[in-house]
Amino acid sequence: MAHFTKATSVHDWVNQRLGIDTVRRVMATEYWIPKNINFLWAMGMVLAITFALLLVSGIFLLMYYQPNVNTAFDSVNYTIMREVDFGWLWRHIHGVAASVVFLVIYIHMFTGIYYGSYKKGRELIWISGMLLFVTFSAEAFSGYMLPWGQMSYWAGMVITNLFSLGGLHADGIVEWIRGDYVPAQAFLDRFFMLHVLLLPLAIMGVIGLHFGALRIPHVNNQDGEEIDFEKEAAKYKAGDKKHSKVIAFANDFMSKDMFVVGIFLIFFFYLVFFHYDFAMDPVNFDPADGLKTPAHIYPEWYFLWSYEILRPFSTNIGLMAFGFAQVIFFLLPFLDRSPNAIPASRRGLFAVWFWLMLIDMIVLTAMGKLPPEGIFSSIGFYAALVFIGLWIALPIITKLEKKA
Amino acid sequence: MKNGRRGFMGKAFGAVAGVGAVASLYAMKKSWDPLPSVRSAGFTTLDMSAYKENELVVEKWRGKPIFVLKKTAEMLAKQNDADKARDILVNGEHYMVCIGLCTHLGCIPGYDSKGESFLCACHGGMYDFTGMVTKAPPPRGLDIPPFKIDGNKLVLGEEGPEYKKMKETGITL
């Protein structure tokens, strides 16, 4: 048995049993962050806080929500929105956060792409981050089913139909996923379970992995400079904070991180109180009706780009293009053949690739929202081709890139 | 230690855990299956004499919309052999009876009685009055539900000889 001495304080008592000083040192006071970064490095913390907001608001919604096809719609739109004191607040926080979290995820992703933060030992950070993107997408979709409005029902119908795998007509899989021929009670119940238990558990697990993957390579910096963290940390600890290239995660860096979070929260609650409607599709305020498709079905804005890659093609090709779009970002660390982990602006053709990709995804998003007619159909079609073409070109242009 | 007692215990545990894992996965898979009450959810019987020409009626079968369209003489004149093969004849009248879900991703197309065509608003697919595709992305015409002709009536969910023939010849899935 380990040796314990009489505690000199409550802190000492706990520390002897849990080693909290060691935890604090490893996780905070001696976890080193480069100085050469900007506000975009705070997006991880913004995401963590947004996830916490989703969790807390979700707990309150869960107290009144009823996963039953006859009562779900009213439990949301009447009970939570009109009867429960501040029920509207939890719902609007939940809805707005679900939308905004994807905006921040996309900023976080494109920051990583721009600064090459998926290379040189940081591959697992990128892959675990992409796993988070997928689990968040599943979480958003399952949550969208729960109010059981028209958009819930028809999004559920369309997305589960994707699993028939087009020309393979695997209708058995679709019925298995739904537990019925159409989305009905069994479907609502199981997506409720996924949304409130299984997927949040998976997300929390992958967040742990994401943080863990970051610990050894440390965060990147604005110049992609390889920092000798031990040497710089020694300088810092010796008191030469001015010449050290790093600072401690807490409380030094955290104070800046939380400042950005503060600005984000002001923007966030402005949306919650005054512009929550952007996250509340009016069509979903009609109860689900299996015999009436809404005139125009579109997903939430954050899925539009991949939806637009599916849409302009015939079923099988569309599904393949869609599948391609879903997995290809995972492979980024391996498709980028250049050894340079520096900002895109100093990487020649890759800078062009980066901005084209960003613009193309914005175009796809815009076209996904518009009706599939005339000129919009054609723009969407070419934008989808450009998306695929850019990924095919990536290994070639990065291979040609000169060593910086 | 590979062949020692610890190795044996490791393999024994692996065997027990493997059997348990496969058995649990099987149980989990079966628990997600549609319930018997859902599977046996009845049959729908339609009285075919009640329909009017070129007026689309949407019936319901197993939670899915069923399009019933009685064809006009002009429509019949326009039909080619492939179109005719999709017709369901009850008491000498020609009907289109289809599952009203777009074969692309399952939205319900709307019927335009003037243009005698269906338009799916989700992804812009179009069908003519026989349920055949006239504009992509749908991969095939509207599916025909299992049916049995019984005098004036049509029973959905039961497979009659006419339906079996359609299935064999690949007119419907």
Side-chain angles (χ1 to χ4, degrees):
Chain A
M1 194 177 153
H3 183 64
F4 286 85
T5 55
K6 186 166 168 51
T8 56
S9 64
V10 175
H11 175 90
D12 184 43
W13 190 91
V14 178
N15 191 41
Q16 285 193 45
R17 284 153 182 82
L18 274 179
I20 51 175
D21 281 352
T22 311
V23 173
R24 193 172 128 78
R25 200 175 66 243
V26 173
M27 307 290 274
T29 57
E30 292 185 19
Y31 173 28
W32 306 104
I33 305 290
K35 284 179 181 173
N36 182 23
I37 56 178
N38 59 41
F39 78 99
L40 289 166
W41 268 253
M43 292 306 137
M45 187 58 78
V46 169
L47 284 170
I49 297 290
T50 313
F51 182 66
L53 282 166
L54 283 163
L55 201 62
V56 172
S57 56
I59 286 169
F60 284 91
L61 293 173
L62 190 50
M63 294 199 296
Y64 292 97
Y65 175 72
Q66 297 176 19
N68 179 297
V69 289
N70 298 314
T71 55
F73 185 83
D74 286 338
S75 74
V76 173
N77 290 300
Y78 183 75
T79 310
I80 290 172
M81 289 304 288
R82 286 161 186 260
E83 286 197 298
V84 179
D85 269 348
F86 287 99
W88 59 269
L89 179 67
W90 308 122
R91 189 187 185 198
H92 289 167
I93 288 178
H94 209 69
V96 170
S99 196
V100 168
V101 84
F102 278 93
L103 176 66
V104 185
I105 285 175
Y106 285 131
I107 295 173
H108 197 53
M109 274 174 70
F110 274 93
T111 303
I113 299 175
Y114 186 85
Y115 290 103
S117 308
Y118 48 87
K119 303 204 228 185
K120 291 193 175 168
R122 298 196 178 91
E123 293 84 357
L124 271 180
I125 308 174
W126 178 263
I127 291 168
S128 57
M130 281 308 300
L131 278 175
L132 278 174
F133 177 73
V134 171
T135 41
F136 264 87
S137 299
E139 180 70 357
F141 172 72
S142 57
Y144 200 60
M145 299 300 103
L146 303 187
W148 209 238
Q150 272 291 68
M151 274 298 194
S152 303
Y153 184 92
W154 287 99
M157 176 75 96
V158 169
I159 298 297
T160 48
N161 265 340
L162 291 177
F163 290 90
S164 70
L165 306 177
L168 296 179
H169 302 300
D171 294 335
I173 300 178
V174 177
E175 283 163 19
W176 182 72
I177 292 171
R178 292 177 185 160
D180 203 330
Y181 302 103
V182 288
Q185 185 57 48
F187 174 88
L188 180 59
D189 258 336
R190 61 188 56 178
F191 276 84
F192 172 69
M193 177 283 289
L194 290 173
H195 187 71
V196 304
L197 181 66
L198 191 56
L199 290 169
L201 276 182
I203 286 174
M204 287 188 266
V206 184
I207 289 176
L209 174 66
H210 197 53
F211 288 175
L214 187 59
R215 191 65 181 78
I216 295 171
H218 290 82
V219 296
N220 196 5
N221 56 75
Q222 282 194 97
D223 293 307
E225 183 191 351
E226 265 190 61
I227 293 173
D228 183 340
F229 280 88
E230 277 171 29
K231 199 177 112 202
E232 299 302 324
K235 266 195 230 168
Y236 183 93
K237 283 198 279 187
D240 188 12
K241 296 188 180 180
K242 198 173 172 215
H243 292 104
S244 174
K245 288 179 180 172
V246 298
I247 53 172
F249 174 70
N251 298 322
D252 316 15
F253 173 64
M254 268 282 269
S255 63
K256 294 188 177 185
D257 230 8
M258 294 313 281
F259 179 79
V260 178
V261 168
I263 291 172
F264 165 75
L265 287 178
I266 292 170
F267 160 74
F268 176 79
F269 280 100
Y270 166 73
L271 292 178
V272 168
F273 293 126
F274 303 108
H275 278 289
Y276 55 86
D277 48 319
F278 84 94
M280 305 270 158
D281 197 293
V283 181
N284 219 24
F285 286 88
D286 291 325
D289 182 352
L291 295 184
K292 193 171 145 253
T293 317
H296 182 198
I297 295 187
Y298 41 81
E300 289 291 277
W301 72 269
Y302 40 86
F303 291 143
L304 286 171
W305 68 270
S306 52
Y307 176 73
E308 186 57 25
I309 289 172
L310 167 80
R311 199 164 68 163
F313 302 104
S314 64
T315 313
N316 288 335
I317 298 169
L319 270 174
M320 281 187 256
F322 183 69
F324 175 86
Q326 298 307 307
V327 299
I328 199 66
F329 275 95
F330 274 96
L331 300 179
L332 177 61
F334 312 105
L335 292 176
D336 183 341
R337 309 300 304 164
S338 158
N340 301 326
I342 49 175
S345 58
R346 293 178 218 158
R347 290 182 57 190
L349 273 179
F350 182 77
V352 179
W353 186 91
F354 174 86
W355 291 110
L356 276 180
M357 179 57 80
L358 186 61
I359 293 165
D360 191 51
M361 285 181 71
I362 293 170
V363 169
L364 284 168
T365 300
M367 292 307 124
K369 184 82 185 179
L370 295 164
E373 292 154 8
I375 184 80
F376 303 136
S377 267
S378 318
I379 296 174
F381 175 71
Y382 289 112
L385 289 184
V386 168
F387 180 86
I388 296 165
L390 280 172
W391 282 105
I392 294 169
L394 181 64
I396 302 162
I397 64 166
T398 48
K399 190 90 195 165
L400 295 175
E401 195 176 309
K402 286 196 191 76
K403 176 114 178 71
Chain B
M1 282 305 283
K2 247 186 188 163
N3 298 313
R5 272 191 280 176
R6 196 179 294 160
F8 169 76
M9 287 164 82
K11 283 180 195 123
F13 171 73
V16 170
V19 170
V22 170
S24 338
L25 279 177
Y26 179 74
M28 288 174 191
K29 190 268 168 194
K30 294 297 275 182
S31 288
W32 274 64
D33 277 349
L35 301 176
S37 57
V38 169
R39 285 235 179 266
S40 62
F43 304 90
T44 303
T45 305
L46 306 175
D47 179 358
M48 301 308 281
S49 59
Y51 300 104
K52 295 194 186 90
E53 285 185 350
N54 195 25
E55 189 180 293
L56 187 81
V57 179
V58 182
E59 305 283 358
K60 200 172 170 182
W61 169 71
R62 288 186 186 169
K64 292 176 187 174
I66 300 294
F67 288 165
V68 183
L69 182 72
K70 188 173 179 179
K71 292 181 177 172
T72 62
E74 296 90 76
M75 282 180 180
L76 294 178
K78 274 187 268 183
Q79 294 197 131
N80 60 30
D81 286 344
D83 294 337
K84 279 179 199 154
R86 293 174 61 89
D87 277 1
I88 294 178
L89 276 108
V90 181
N91 268 351
E93 301 283 0
H94 293 248
Y95 297 90
M96 180 208 75
V97 179
C98 290
I99 297 177
L101 298 174
C102 183
T103 52
H104 181 225
L105 287 173
C107 297
I108 301 178
Y111 185 62
D112 166 21
S113 58
K114 279 205 191 98
E116 297 176 350
S117 66
F118 294 90
L119 168 68
C120 180
C122 289
H123 305 98
M126 286 182 83
Y127 304 86
D128 63 14
F129 62 87
T130 66
M132 299 272 253
V133 184
T134 51
K135 181 174 175 274
R140 61 181 189 280
L142 293 171
D143 293 328
I144 297 168
F147 65 89
K148 196 182 145 199
I149 299 164
D150 182 11
N152 249 346
K153 298 197 170 72
L154 194 69
V155 183
L156 299 180
E158 231 180 295
E159 298 193 359
E162 293 87 354
Y163 176 74
K164 281 184 184 147
K165 198 181 150 210
M166 282 187 182
K167 216 169 173 183
E168 272 161 28
T169 49
I171 290 163
T172 187
L173 274 174

